[in-house]
Amino acid sequence: MRTAIFRMTVLVAVLALLPAAVASAQSVGTIAGTVQDESKAGIPGAVVTARNEGTGAAREAVTDDEGRYSMPLLPIGTYTVSATMAGFRTQERSKVMLEVQASLALDFVLGLSSLTSEVTVVSQQAEVEVRRSDASLGQLINAQQVAELPLNGRNFVQLALLGPGTVTGRAGSFLAQGPSSEVSYRGSMSVSAQG
């Protein structure tokens, strides 16, 4: 009897904590890349620091033998990322936007230091980012972009066409089943994503 009550208590506790774990796992991203010298050779033992500009929290990673580093499960936000190594100039990138489930590749090339000097590179958000860590396609359209986009007639379904690999579908598809359809309020527009 005690074993059954104990098992039931453990099951209830696990089920109660599972949604919180899933929700927190979705609001993270990854920053990874390489640290190299000017001859494109990897620098082992370099320290890469990512500091959240909003909270001030910092995370460090040390490069492996080939100069690679990875910082998974970083909370989303704007970061300042720097790479340092004794004998090399420090390189820093600020205003690096990390969004939900993003996998950013930040590579650093450190020059030899003759005198104490520092290089600061201000990151500009790229129009298209190449994901080298996985082959999945996706796009996040934030509230500012939605507000600034010139949507014809404010048809929200047009936002779907901004994602990679989406095209308008043929007439008679699910989203264009005519005036009696449950989705007829979307008009005659249909969307096909990745085939």
Side-chain angles (χ1 to χ4, degrees), residues 10-24:
V10 170
L11 180 63
V12 169
V14 168
L15 291 176
L17 295 176
L18 187 61
V22 171
S24 66

Side-chain angles (χ1 to χ4, degrees), residues 83-85 88-91 111-120:
T84 60
M85 181 66 181
F88 292 90
R89 290 190 300 264
T90 297
Q91 188 176 24
L112 293 173
S113 66
S114 54
L115 300 172
T116 304
S117 61
E118 219 173 275
V119 176
T120 301

Side-chain angles (χ1 to χ4, degrees), residues 141-163:
I141 301 172
N142 61 38
Q144 180 181 0
Q145 290 172 314
V146 171
E148 294 175 356
L149 286 172
L151 297 177
N152 185 12
R154 305 302 294 168
N155 185 350
F156 67 92
V157 179
Q158 290 177 338
L159 292 174
L161 294 176
L162 298 176

